[in-house]
Structure formats: structure tokens, C-alpha cells
Amino acid sequence: DGGQQRQKRGTGAMAGAVAPVVQQPMVASSVQIQEPMASEQEPATDMDPSRLYRLLVESVRDYAMFTLDPTGHVMSWNPGAQRFKGYTADEIIGRHFSTFYPEETKHTLPPLELEIATRDGRVEDEGWRVRKDGTRFWANVVITALREDGRLVGFAKVTRDLTERKRAEERA
């Protein structure tokens, strides 16, 4: 799919067609576009804000950015996520995000993180995560609850690979 961010639409177990995530109300509702104040300059582009947002998400390579449904199943996937974790969108969309956790935490930490994000609005964590090829990397993870009209509709998950920093700290 050329590394574009993808999202499955439909009912049940994530069945249905594949479409860009920015067309979904869940993600679009999390984007806040502010009108420029009179003293501010007009934007240098006439690009639609939703297209600009999609370009942002699709262009970021240093962060894994994706969405989860309310039960923790992957709904969208950006090129940074593919680069960090090794899965294509077609391979990972519909799978539970516990896939990224090592065996010793995959049954306890993911549900706890979703519980905290649901209750507090977000959760941040650092720890080992697992790539498709089985190698581990040290990750900083932020999971944010996505709500529409007060109802939980999913989660945004942003991951940074901090393995090099972790190795430097261990050498020091």
C-alpha cells in the first residue's frame, strides 16, 4: 500500500473496505483547527486542513502513530509504525495491540494501559516492546482516549523508539 496510513471500516471483527483514517469521525474529531486571529498572517497554503493532517500522519517516520478501537484492536497504521514494528497495515490492522508486548507483560500491561487511559484520558509508559521479527526495542508510549460526545470511540497510540538512549544510559 506504499506505506500509507490505512484503516479498516465495517462491523464485527474489523471487516470491510480499507480507507484513509482522516475520513473517519473518530480521528477527525480529535483534530482541532483554529481560525487565525486578525493579527496573524493568512496560511501560506490553501490545502484543506484534513488533507494537511493526513499528510502529517503519513509523513511522520520517527514515531509510530496509530489508532485502536475501544477493545485495543489496531484500526489504523502510519509509515512510522511500519518502520518501527515491521508490520504492514494489511498484516496488523484488526489484531490486538498486545501483539507488540513481550510475553511477560502482554496479558497484563495492555489492559491496564487501556483502563488508565479510559479513566484518566491518557497513559504514558516506557518499556520493552516487540517487533514483528521478535527483536525488542525500548519504547516510550502514549495512549490517549478518543471520545466523541463523551463516548469512548477508541484510542490514539504514539510510540517512540528510545533504544539508543536506553543503551547509552546502561553504558554510563
Side-chain angles (χ1 to χ4, degrees):
D1 67 39
Q4 292 183 356
Q5 181 181 23
R6 310 289 285 184
Q7 178 169 1
K8 287 192 180 180
R9 301 173 68 172
T11 60
M14 306 304 293
V18 178
V21 71
V22 294
Q23 294 178 359
Q24 296 302 310
M26 178 181 70
V27 175
S29 67
S30 67
V31 178
Q32 185 177 29
I33 307 299
Q34 295 182 355
E35 294 295 322
M37 294 175 50
S39 63
E40 294 181 17
Q41 291 183 342
E42 288 298 313
T45 182
D46 60 354
M47 183 178 279
D48 174 61
S50 66
R51 285 186 59 215
L52 191 60
Y53 175 75
R54 186 184 78 233
L55 184 61
L56 164 76
V57 173
E58 290 175 355
S59 299
V60 171
R61 303 275 192 261
D62 297 331
Y63 296 86
M65 299 168 59
F66 53 99
T67 56
L68 305 171
D69 72 10
T71 63
H73 293 86
V74 177
M75 294 178 59
S76 68
W77 200 242
N78 83 324
Q82 182 171 334
R83 186 174 77 84
F84 280 19
K85 298 181 185 270
Y87 294 91
T88 65
D90 289 338
E91 292 173 314
I92 198 63
I93 289 176
R95 292 181 62 183
H96 197 270
F97 84 111
S98 61
T99 301
F100 312 126
Y101 290 72
E103 198 57 43
E104 63 270 15
T105 61
K106 78 182 310 171
H107 300 291
T108 56
L109 194 52
L112 178 62
E113 289 177 334
L114 293 185
E115 178 185 323
I116 294 169
T118 299
R119 183 189 66 224
D120 299 343
R122 71 184 295 276
V123 64
E124 185 169 355
D125 179 42
E126 280 193 17
W128 292 110
R129 299 298 184 270
V130 180
R131 293 184 177 93
K132 178 183 173 183
D133 66 7
T135 60
R136 291 180 179 222
F137 67 102
W138 189 258
N140 170 267
V141 174
V142 178
I143 300 174
T144 304
L146 300 175
R147 297 185 183 278
E148 188 169 61
D149 299 323
R151 183 177 65 88
L152 180 69
V153 295
F155 300 91
K157 188 164 189 271
V158 178
T159 304
R160 290 188 309 160
D161 183 346
L162 300 179
T163 307
E164 290 306 314
R165 186 196 78 184
K166 177 79 170 164
R167 288 182 182 146
E169 289 172 358
E170 290 173 350
R171 286 190 300 263

